[in-house]
Amino acid sequence: QPTGTHGSLDAPGDIQVCEYVKGRVVKRLRTKTYGERIIFDVIEQRIGFERSARLLSGSFVLEPISAHATRITLSTQYDALLRPRFCWEAAEQFTLRTLHEYILDGIEQNGAASGMDLQTRGSLAYDGG
């Protein structure tokens, strides 16, 4: 579960640390198009499943759906480390989708507290490695 963040993702190269109950993920901003997309690389991961999957990168896409509502899509690219793939894929996807849900729920709650209407969803991409 996320517990907070510090740092910023304002300019390429900026670092943000996302704290979790069992560790942290450190992201470096690759590109940002204000109000549209944030793309980041994961440069450190310590959240308990490092031997199972390595987070590589991700993005937040912001899509206006009305004058007062925005859809936010979180995508994560990862390297699956466990073999054989057919035995582990479902568990990895469950774990990473749960992580996305925690992150996106937090964004929705923060938005609601600020009077914004946000709709969120997550997606995953295994890099095939």
Side-chain angles (χ1 to χ4, degrees):
Q1 280 184 304
T3 60
T5 62
H6 53 91
S8 69
L9 293 178
D10 293 326
D14 282 356
I15 303 291
Q16 184 177 66
V17 179
C18 301
E19 301 286 349
Y20 295 86
V21 171
K22 294 185 178 183
R24 70 187 201 164
V25 172
V26 180
K27 302 181 288 192
R28 180 177 34 236
L29 181 63
R30 187 186 315 164
T31 61
K32 180 177 182 178
T33 306
Y34 185 78
E36 293 179 23
R37 178 182 308 260
I38 298 169
I39 301 173
F40 58 88
D41 295 308
V42 176
I43 59 174
E44 181 185 323
Q45 167 191 333
R46 288 188 291 143
I47 52 177
F49 58 83
E50 289 72 27
R51 292 193 290 186
S52 304
R54 182 174 46 248
L55 302 175
L56 302 172
S57 61
S59 66
F60 290 94
V61 175
L62 292 80
E63 176 186 359
I65 53 177
S66 76
H68 303 288
T70 300
R71 177 178 295 120
I72 300 173
T73 303
L74 167 59
S75 298
T76 300
Q77 290 73 45
Y78 69 99
D79 184 15
L81 303 175
L82 299 176
R83 304 286 187 266
R85 294 297 312 127
F86 70 89
C87 290
W88 297 103
E89 189 171 15
E92 288 166 4
Q93 289 186 4
F94 174 79
T95 301
L96 291 171
R97 284 192 194 285
T98 300
L99 179 62
H100 278 197
E101 288 173 11
Y102 281 125
I103 293 166
L104 294 171
D105 285 349
I107 291 171
E108 281 189 45
Q109 290 171 7
N110 288 340
S114 301
M116 294 184 280
D117 180 15
L118 303 173
Q119 296 179 12
T120 59
R121 65 180 181 198
S123 66
L124 301 171
Y126 166 52
D127 83 341

